[in-house]
Amino acid sequence: MTTDIRHATLETLPDSEAVALRMADLLVDGVLAKTEGKFRVALSGGSTPKRLFELLAAPALAAKLPWDRIEIFYGDERHVPEGHADSNHTVGHATLISRVPVPAANVHPIPTGGTVAEDAQAYEKILQVAYGATTLDPKRPLFDLVMLGLGTDGHTASLFPGQPVLKETKAWVGTAAPQTAPHERVTLTYPAIRSSALVVFLVTGASKVEMLHRLRKGDPALPSAHVESDGRIIILADRAAMGENA
């Protein structure tokens, strides 16, 4: 059964640190609960995910995870050279991947060496190989967990307002050239995100109050409000994002 954003579970937490800790718990619980096959997770960028990566890389927590059974992907990427400071993978590698024993073959950064369209097609093929099929089955999710953020313009991943990729219904990976943010982007599409057992939005800070309110109501003007999951959707929001006083 498909879950839309209006049926998401909301969890309000004290601050961004608590959001990162709760996300860590969800990830660890999910990995340990899956006893067959690899646990496929799509990471996101941003300050709260970066803190999550630091938590997961800490020795006590890292030791709990069977890294050989975790397969790492990304929800989107800026089309910048490898190692660029604005790259989600650059941050993910520095704060998590290089500090834990995850096999290199289990890490799948979005390629950025060709044109943005070529790299989107290449990443779709990588996802299809991992999935073992070229057609998504609602009963067999592509991802066990997809992490998403929420922009102050209502975007999530690199699904920005007004971009043609918002209308994509078949491709798993698309492109975006947002007018409100730097760099061309490669991004998961709605169909790829929908093929998930769990989608988690990480929403922190007072700048997100209005957008979070609109997201929870399913405002169709927001790209993030069109996210669905074949499993569950959880919104982890801190009190600032909820508009509550500390």
Side-chain angles (χ1 to χ4, degrees):
M1 177 176 168
T2 301
T3 301
D4 64 25
I5 198 66
R6 290 171 298 177
H7 294 90
T9 299
L10 173 68
E11 296 185 22
T12 304
L13 298 148
D15 50 31
S16 60
E17 179 74 5
V19 169
L21 285 165
R22 175 62 176 141
M23 184 67 252
D25 287 342
L26 288 170
L27 177 59
V28 172
D29 290 348
V31 172
L32 297 181
K34 186 172 184 180
T35 57
E36 295 184 6
K38 289 187 171 66
F39 185 93
R40 292 191 291 268
V41 56
L43 304 179
S44 65
S47 58
T48 301
K50 181 181 179 182
R51 179 58 183 145
L52 165 69
F53 303 158
E54 292 170 348
L55 292 169
L56 292 172
L61 190 51
K64 294 182 179 180
L65 288 167
W67 290 100
D68 61 320
R69 292 201 294 106
I70 299 174
E71 201 161 10
I72 295 174
F73 299 87
Y74 289 89
D76 71 322
E77 184 60 277
R78 297 168 182 84
H79 201 250
V80 293
E82 182 179 350
H84 194 286
D86 290 346
S87 163
N88 287 339
H89 179 60
T90 296
V91 175
H93 184 270
T95 56
L96 175 63
I97 294 165
S98 66
R99 299 171 59 191
V100 296
V102 59
N106 288 9
V107 179
H108 305 284
I110 294 175
T112 59
T115 68
V116 67
E118 290 169 345
D119 290 332
Q121 292 176 350
Y123 206 56
E124 180 160 326
K125 290 179 181 178
I126 289 170
L127 290 173
Q128 290 173 346
V129 169
Y131 187 63
T134 57
T135 302
L136 295 169
D137 180 352
K139 297 180 180 179
R140 188 169 71 89
L142 169 61
F143 296 109
D144 296 285
L145 172 62
V146 175
M147 292 168 44
L148 295 174
L150 175 64
T152 53
D153 61 354
H155 83 271
T156 193
S158 281
L159 300 170
F160 282 83
Q163 292 293 301
V165 70
L166 301 182
K167 298 180 180 179
E168 182 58 62
T169 60
K170 294 183 179 180
W172 303 7
V173 184
T175 68
Q179 297 180 350
T180 56
H183 310 302
E184 290 183 296
R185 313 290 181 99
V186 177
T187 184
L188 296 182
T189 61
Y190 289 130
I193 295 171
R194 185 185 307 118
S195 186
S196 57
L198 176 63
V199 169
V200 183
F201 280 88
L202 308 178
V203 188
T204 60
S207 65
K208 306 296 177 65
V209 171
E210 178 187 355
M211 282 301 156
L212 178 56
H213 178 73
R214 292 171 62 184
L215 175 68
R216 294 175 61 200
K217 288 185 174 296
D219 184 340
L222 306 185
S224 51
H226 295 272
V227 167
E228 296 178 332
S229 171
D230 288 332
R232 298 181 295 149
I233 301 177
I234 297 175
I235 301 172
L236 301 181
D238 68 3
R239 292 181 64 185
M242 292 292 293
E244 300 177 3
N245 294 325

